[in-house]
């Protein structure tokens, strides 16, 4: 299955010069969605994880399905202010400004090995923040998976510098 066939490209979104890679077309297609989840699970065949973490929002969809298939619990990595109980947060840089991701303080048990999931890795800033956040909570992100990688933006190298395995189903040149 060629995963790229299920991904829509929207030119000049959210600003001129950006080629937005939209996975909603993948998620809407039963064969595409199942194929992507199955392929992401197979990327980590034989690996041992205690939990799966997904980054808001598309990482929730993929990560929840992957956690289900692996028989593991799911950790939502949310934007600031969205979780109802006590949280810890990690700030990260955006192109213009900063943002924060949060998890509940009891979301990760000490020493747990966590698989991090999201739809796309570009610069790796959000994923790096999630890795640092999970580490602060006592867990270890040992691997990460993405449907799409934009290699020119350096996200893979950013996570690999933290000793995180980075796997993706496909890549697109440019941004």
């Amino acid at each position: 299955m060629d995963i790229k066939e299920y991904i829509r490209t929207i030119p000049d979104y959210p600003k001129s010069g950006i080629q937005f890679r939209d996975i909603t077309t993948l998620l809407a297609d039963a064969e595409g969605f199942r194929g992507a989840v199955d392929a992401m699970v197979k990327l980590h065949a034989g690996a041992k994880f205690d939990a799966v973490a997904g980054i808001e929002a598309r990482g929730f969809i993929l990560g929840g399905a992957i956690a289900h298939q692996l028989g593991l619990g799911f950790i939502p990595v949310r934007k600031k202010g969205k979780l109802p109980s006590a949280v810890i947060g990690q700030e990260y840089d955006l192109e213009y400004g900063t943002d924060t991701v949060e998890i509940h303080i009891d979301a990760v048990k000490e020493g747990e090995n966590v698989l991090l999931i999201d739809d796309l890795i570009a610069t790796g800033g959000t994923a790096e923040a999630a890795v640092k956040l999970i580490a602060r909570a006592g867990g270890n992100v040992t691997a990460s998976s993405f449907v799409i990688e934009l290699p020119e933006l350096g996200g893979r190298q950013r996570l690999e510098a933290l000793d995180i395995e980075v796997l993706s189903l496909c890549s697109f040149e440019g941004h």
Side-chain angles (χ1 to χ4, degrees), residues 94-153:
L94 298 168
E95 188 175 355
Y96 300 105
T98 61
D99 207 348
T100 302
V101 289
E102 296 178 331
I103 60 173
H104 280 132
I105 59 171
D106 59 356
V108 180
K109 293 178 183 62
E110 188 69 35
E112 279 190 323
N113 290 323
V114 178
L115 170 61
L116 181 66
I117 302 292
D118 205 359
D119 66 320
L120 180 136
I121 184 164
T123 66
T126 308
E128 179 183 38
V131 167
K132 289 179 177 179
L133 183 58
I134 290 165
R136 285 182 42 225
N140 309 299
V141 174
T142 56
S144 60
S145 285
F146 306 89
V147 174
I148 302 165
E149 179 179 358
L150 303 179
E152 293 174 24
L153 299 180

Side-chain angles (χ1 to χ4, degrees), residues 27-171:
L27 299 174
D29 185 282
E31 180 182 319
F33 185 35
R34 177 176 288 285
V37 170
D38 289 348
M40 291 177 85
V41 168
K42 286 178 188 172
L43 289 175
H44 301 285
K48 298 284 186 190
F49 301 105
D50 300 302
V52 174
I55 300 172
E56 186 171 343
R58 292 171 296 275
F60 289 3
I61 299 164
L62 296 161
I66 291 166
H68 172 76
Q69 283 200 13
L70 294 175
L72 300 173
F74 178 74
I75 302 163
V77 179
R78 302 237 32 206
K79 296 197 186 278
K80 186 176 182 175
K82 300 291 185 181
L83 292 169
S85 191
V87 299
I88 59 172
Q90 180 70 44
E91 192 173 271
Y92 62 99
D93 292 327
L94 298 168
E95 188 175 355
Y96 300 105
T98 61
D99 207 348
T100 302
V101 289
E102 296 178 331
I103 60 173
H104 280 132
I105 59 171
D106 59 356
V108 180
K109 293 178 183 62
E110 188 69 35
E112 279 190 323
N113 290 323
V114 178
L115 170 61
L116 181 66
I117 302 292
D118 205 359
D119 66 320
L120 180 136
I121 184 164
T123 66
T126 308
E128 179 183 38
V131 167
K132 289 179 177 179
L133 183 58
I134 290 165
R136 285 182 42 225
N140 309 299
V141 174
T142 56
S144 60
S145 285
F146 306 89
V147 174
I148 302 165
E149 179 179 358
L150 303 179
E152 293 174 24
L153 299 180
R156 169 182 292 275
Q157 292 78 11
R158 195 169 184 168
L159 292 186
E160 287 176 343
L162 298 172
D163 202 28
I164 310 296
E165 179 182 40
V166 179
L167 300 172
S168 61
L169 298 183
C170 69
S171 64

